[in-house]
Coordinates of all heavy atoms in Angstrom, one line a residue:
A192 N 0.8 59.1 5.1 CA 2.1 58.7 5.7 C 3.2 59.6 5.3 O 3.5 59.8 4.2 CB 2.4 57.2 5.3
L193 N 3.9 60.1 6.4 CA 5.1 60.9 6.2 C 6.3 60.1 6.8 O 6.4 60.0 8.0 CB 5.0 62.3 6.9 CG 4.3 63.4 6.2 CD1 2.8 63.1 5.9 CD2 4.4 64.7 7.0
G194 N 7.1 59.6 5.9 CA 8.2 58.8 6.4 C 9.4 59.7 6.8 O 9.4 60.9 6.6
P195 N 10.5 59.0 7.3 CA 11.6 59.8 7.9 C 12.6 60.4 7.0 O 13.4 61.2 7.4 CB 12.2 58.8 8.8 CG 12.0 57.5 8.1 CD 10.6 57.6 7.5
T196 N 12.5 60.0 5.7 CA 13.5 60.3 4.7 C 14.8 59.5 4.9 O 15.0 59.1 6.1 CB 13.9 61.8 4.5 OG1 14.9 62.1 5.4 CG2 12.7 62.7 4.6
P197 N 15.6 59.3 4.0 CA 16.9 58.5 4.2 C 18.0 59.4 4.8 O 19.2 58.9 4.9 CB 17.3 58.0 2.8 CG 16.7 59.0 1.9 CD 15.4 59.5 2.5
K198 N 17.7 60.6 5.1 CA 18.7 61.5 5.6 C 18.3 62.0 7.0 O 17.2 62.0 7.4 CB 18.9 62.8 4.7 CG 19.4 62.4 3.3 CD 19.6 63.6 2.5 CE 20.2 63.2 1.1 NZ 20.5 64.4 0.3
T199 N 19.3 62.3 7.8 CA 19.1 62.7 9.2 C 19.7 64.1 9.5 O 20.9 64.4 9.2 CB 19.7 61.7 10.2 OG1 19.7 62.2 11.5 CG2 21.1 61.2 9.8
A200 N 18.9 64.9 10.1 CA 19.3 66.3 10.4 C 20.2 66.4 11.6 O 20.8 67.5 11.9 CB 18.1 67.2 10.5
S201 N 20.2 65.4 12.4 CA 20.9 65.4 13.7 C 22.3 64.7 13.7 O 23.1 64.9 14.6 CB 20.1 64.8 14.8 OG 18.9 65.6 15.0
I202 N 22.5 63.9 12.8 CA 23.7 63.0 12.8 C 24.6 63.2 11.6 O 24.0 63.3 10.5 CB 23.3 61.5 12.9 CG1 22.4 61.3 14.2 CG2 24.5 60.6 13.0 CD1 21.8 59.9 14.3
S203 N 25.8 63.3 11.8 CA 26.8 63.4 10.7 C 26.9 62.2 9.8 O 27.0 61.1 10.4 CB 28.2 63.8 11.2 OG 29.1 63.8 10.1
P204 N 26.9 62.3 8.5 CA 27.1 61.2 7.6 C 28.6 60.8 7.5 O 29.0 59.8 6.8 CB 26.5 61.6 6.3 CG 26.7 63.1 6.3 CD 26.6 63.5 7.7
D205 N 29.4 61.7 8.1 CA 30.9 61.5 7.9 C 31.5 61.3 9.3 O 31.5 62.2 10.2 CB 31.5 62.8 7.3 CG 33.0 62.7 7.0 OD1 33.6 61.7 7.5 OD2 33.5 63.6 6.5
V206 N 32.0 60.1 9.6 CA 32.6 59.9 10.9 C 33.8 60.8 11.3 O 34.1 61.0 12.4 CB 33.0 58.4 11.0 CG1 31.8 57.5 10.9 CG2 34.1 58.0 10.0
N207 N 34.4 61.3 10.3 CA 35.5 62.2 10.5 C 35.1 63.7 10.7 O 36.0 64.5 10.9 CB 36.5 62.1 9.3 CG 37.1 60.7 9.2 OD1 37.6 60.2 10.1 ND2 37.1 60.2 7.9
D208 N 33.9 64.0 10.5 CA 33.4 65.4 10.7 C 32.0 65.4 11.4 O 31.0 65.3 10.8 CB 33.2 66.0 9.3 CG 32.9 67.5 9.4 OD1 32.7 68.0 10.5 OD2 32.7 68.1 8.3
P209 N 32.1 65.4 12.7 CA 30.8 65.3 13.5 C 29.8 66.4 13.2 O 28.6 66.3 13.4 CB 31.3 65.4 14.9 CG 32.7 65.0 14.9 CD 33.2 65.5 13.6
G210 N 30.3 67.5 12.7 CA 29.4 68.7 12.4 C 28.8 68.6 11.0 O 28.0 69.5 10.7
A211 N 29.2 67.7 10.2 CA 28.7 67.6 8.8 C 27.2 67.2 8.9 O 26.8 66.4 9.7 CB 29.5 66.6 8.0
R212 N 26.4 67.7 7.9 CA 25.0 67.3 7.7 C 24.8 67.2 6.2 O 25.3 67.9 5.4 CB 24.1 68.3 8.3 CG 24.2 68.5 9.8 CD 23.7 67.2 10.6 NE 23.7 67.4 12.0 CZ 24.8 67.1 12.8 NH1 25.9 66.7 12.3 NH2 24.7 67.3 14.1
N213 N 23.9 66.2 5.8 CA 23.5 66.1 4.4 C 22.1 66.6 4.1 O 21.6 66.4 3.0 CB 23.7 64.7 3.9 CG 22.9 63.7 4.7 OD1 22.1 64.1 5.6 ND2 23.1 62.4 4.5
V214 N 21.5 67.2 5.1 CA 20.2 67.8 4.9 C 19.9 68.9 5.9 O 20.5 68.8 7.1 CB 19.0 66.7 5.0 CG1 18.8 66.2 6.4 CG2 17.7 67.2 4.4
T215 N 19.2 69.9 5.6 CA 18.9 71.0 6.5 C 17.4 70.9 7.0 O 16.6 70.3 6.3 CB 19.1 72.4 5.9 OG1 18.1 72.5 4.8 CG2 20.5 72.5 5.3
F216 N 17.2 71.6 8.1 CA 15.8 71.6 8.6 C 14.9 72.2 7.5 O 13.8 71.8 7.3 CB 15.8 72.5 9.9 CG 14.4 72.5 10.5 CD1 14.1 71.6 11.5 CD2 13.5 73.5 10.1 CE1 12.8 71.7 12.2 CE2 12.2 73.5 10.8 CZ 11.9 72.6 11.8
E217 N 15.3 73.3 6.9 CA 14.5 74.0 5.9 C 14.2 73.1 4.7 O 13.1 73.1 4.2 CB 15.2 75.2 5.4 CG 14.5 76.0 4.3 CD 13.1 76.3 4.5 OE1 12.7 76.5 5.7 OE2 12.3 76.4 3.6
E218 N 15.2 72.3 4.3 CA 14.9 71.3 3.2 C 13.9 70.3 3.5 O 13.0 70.0 2.8 CB 16.2 70.6 2.8 CG 17.2 71.5 2.0 CD 18.6 70.9 1.9 OE1 18.9 70.0 2.7 OE2 19.3 71.3 1.0
L219 N 14.0 69.8 4.8 CA 13.0 68.9 5.3 C 11.6 69.5 5.4 O 10.6 68.9 5.0 CB 13.4 68.3 6.6 CG 14.6 67.3 6.6 CD1 15.1 67.1 8.0 CD2 14.3 66.0 5.9
R220 N 11.6 70.7 6.0 CA 10.3 71.4 6.1 C 9.6 71.6 4.8 O 8.4 71.3 4.7 CB 10.5 72.8 6.8 CG 9.2 73.5 7.1 CD 9.4 75.0 7.0 NE 9.9 75.5 5.7 CZ 9.1 75.7 4.6 NH1 7.8 75.4 4.7 NH2 9.6 76.1 3.5
A221 N 10.3 72.1 3.8 CA 9.7 72.3 2.5 C 9.2 71.0 1.9 O 8.1 71.0 1.3 CB 10.8 73.0 1.6
A222 N 10.0 69.9 2.0 CA 9.6 68.6 1.4 C 8.3 68.1 2.1 O 7.4 67.7 1.5 CB 10.7 67.6 1.6
Y223 N 8.3 68.2 3.4 CA 7.1 67.8 4.2 C 5.9 68.6 3.9 O 4.8 68.1 4.0 CB 7.4 67.7 5.7 CG 8.3 66.5 6.0 CD1 9.5 66.6 6.8 CD2 7.9 65.2 5.7 CE1 10.2 65.5 7.1 CE2 8.6 64.1 6.1 CZ 9.8 64.2 6.8 OH 10.5 63.2 7.2
Y224 N 6.1 69.9 3.7 CA 4.9 70.8 3.5 C 4.3 70.4 2.2 O 3.0 70.2 2.1 CB 5.4 72.3 3.4 CG 4.2 73.2 3.2 CD1 3.7 73.9 4.3 CD2 3.7 73.5 1.9 CE1 2.6 74.8 4.1 CE2 2.7 74.4 1.7 CZ 2.1 75.0 2.8 OH 1.0 75.9 2.7
D225 N 5.1 70.2 1.1 CA 4.5 69.8 -0.2 C 3.8 68.4 -0.1 O 2.8 68.2 -0.7 CB 5.6 69.7 -1.2 CG 6.2 71.1 -1.7 OD1 5.5 72.1 -1.4 OD2 7.2 71.1 -2.3
Q226 N 4.4 67.5 0.7 CA 3.8 66.2 0.9 C 2.5 66.3 1.6 O 1.5 65.7 1.2 CB 4.8 65.3 1.6 CG 4.3 63.8 1.8 CD 5.3 62.9 2.4 OE1 6.0 63.3 3.3 NE2 5.2 61.6 2.0
T227 N 2.5 67.0 2.7 CA 1.2 67.2 3.4 C 0.1 67.8 2.6 O -1.0 67.3 2.6 CB 1.5 68.1 4.7 OG1 2.5 67.5 5.5 CG2 0.2 68.2 5.5
K228 N 0.4 68.8 1.9 CA -0.5 69.5 1.0 C -1.2 68.5 0.0 O -2.4 68.5 -0.1 CB 0.1 70.7 0.3 CG -0.8 71.5 -0.6 CD -0.1 72.7 -1.1 CE -1.0 73.6 -1.9 NZ -1.5 73.0 -3.2
A229 N -0.3 67.7 -0.6 CA -0.8 66.8 -1.7 C -1.6 65.7 -1.0 O -2.7 65.3 -1.6 CB 0.4 66.2 -2.4
L230 N -1.2 65.2 0.1 CA -2.0 64.1 0.8 C -3.4 64.6 1.2 O -4.4 63.9 1.0 CB -1.2 63.6 2.0 CG 0.0 62.8 1.8 CD1 0.8 62.6 3.0 CD2 -0.3 61.5 1.1
V231 N -3.4 65.8 1.8 CA -4.7 66.3 2.2 C -5.6 66.6 1.0 O -6.8 66.2 1.0 CB -4.6 67.6 3.0 CG1 -5.9 68.2 3.4 CG2 -3.8 67.3 4.3
E232 N -5.0 67.2 -0.1 CA -5.8 67.4 -1.3 C -6.3 66.1 -1.9 O -7.3 66.1 -2.6 CB -5.0 68.2 -2.3 CG -4.8 69.7 -1.8 CD -3.9 70.5 -2.8 OE1 -3.3 69.9 -3.7 OE2 -3.8 71.7 -2.6
G233 N -5.5 65.0 -1.7 CA -5.9 63.7 -2.3 C -6.9 63.0 -1.5 O -7.5 61.9 -1.9
G234 N -7.2 63.5 -0.3 CA -8.3 62.9 0.5 C -7.9 62.2 1.8 O -8.7 61.5 2.4
A235 N -6.7 62.5 2.3 CA -6.3 61.9 3.6 C -7.2 62.4 4.8 O -7.6 63.6 4.8 CB -4.8 62.2 3.9
D236 N -7.4 61.6 5.7 CA -8.2 62.0 6.9 C -7.3 62.3 8.1 O -7.7 63.0 9.0 CB -9.1 60.8 7.4 CG -10.1 60.4 6.3 OD1 -10.9 61.2 5.9 OD2 -10.0 59.2 5.9
V237 N -6.1 61.7 8.1 CA -5.2 61.7 9.3 C -3.8 61.9 8.7 O -3.5 61.5 7.6 CB -5.3 60.4 10.0 CG1 -4.2 60.4 11.2 CG2 -6.7 60.1 10.6
I238 N -2.9 62.6 9.4 CA -1.5 62.7 9.1 C -0.7 61.9 10.0 O -0.8 62.0 11.3 CB -1.0 64.2 9.1 CG1 -1.8 65.1 8.1 CG2 0.5 64.2 8.9 CD1 -1.6 64.7 6.7
L239 N 0.1 60.9 9.5 CA 0.9 60.0 10.3 C 2.3 60.3 10.0 O 2.9 60.0 8.9 CB 0.5 58.6 9.9 CG 1.4 57.5 10.5 CD1 1.4 57.5 12.0 CD2 0.9 56.1 10.0
V240 N 3.0 60.8 11.0 CA 4.5 61.0 11.0 C 5.1 59.8 11.6 O 5.0 59.6 12.8 CB 4.9 62.3 11.7 CG1 6.4 62.5 11.6 CG2 4.1 63.5 11.1
E241 N 5.7 58.9 10.8 CA 6.0 57.6 11.3 C 7.5 57.2 11.2 O 8.3 57.8 10.4 CB 5.2 56.5 10.6 CG 5.4 56.4 9.1 CD 4.8 55.2 8.6 OE1 4.3 54.3 9.3 OE2 4.7 55.1 7.3
T242 N 7.8 56.1 11.9 CA 9.2 55.5 11.8 C 10.2 56.5 12.1 O 11.3 56.6 11.4 CB 9.4 54.8 10.5 OG1 8.2 54.1 10.1 CG2 10.5 53.7 10.6
I243 N 10.0 57.3 13.1 CA 10.9 58.5 13.4 C 12.2 57.9 14.1 O 12.1 57.4 15.2 CB 10.2 59.5 14.3 CG1 9.0 60.1 13.6 CG2 11.2 60.6 14.8 CD1 8.0 60.7 14.6
F244 N 13.3 58.1 13.4 CA 14.6 57.8 14.1 C 15.4 59.0 14.4 O 16.4 58.9 15.1 CB 15.4 56.9 13.1 CG 15.8 57.5 11.8 CD1 16.8 58.4 11.7 CD2 15.1 57.1 10.7 CE1 17.2 58.9 10.5 CE2 15.4 57.7 9.4 CZ 16.4 58.6 9.3
D245 N 14.9 60.2 14.0 CA 15.6 61.5 14.3 C 14.5 62.5 14.7 O 13.7 62.8 13.8 CB 16.4 61.9 13.1 CG 17.2 63.2 13.3 OD1 16.9 63.9 14.3 OD2 18.1 63.5 12.6

Side-chain angles (χ1 to χ4, degrees):
L193 277 63
T196 85
K198 297 185 178 182
T199 168
S201 295
I202 302 172
S203 172
D205 183 357
V206 295
N207 297 311
D208 184 1
R212 297 290 184 272
N213 57 9
V214 70
T215 66
F216 185 94
E217 174 56 26
E218 288 169 338
L219 290 167
R220 183 211 61 79
Y223 283 126
Y224 184 94
D225 289 344
Q226 183 175 35
T227 301
K228 183 175 186 290
L230 287 170
V231 175
E232 290 177 352
D236 300 301
V237 176
I238 296 298
L239 171 58
V240 183
E241 66 168 346
T242 322
I243 298 162
F244 60 80
D245 183 342

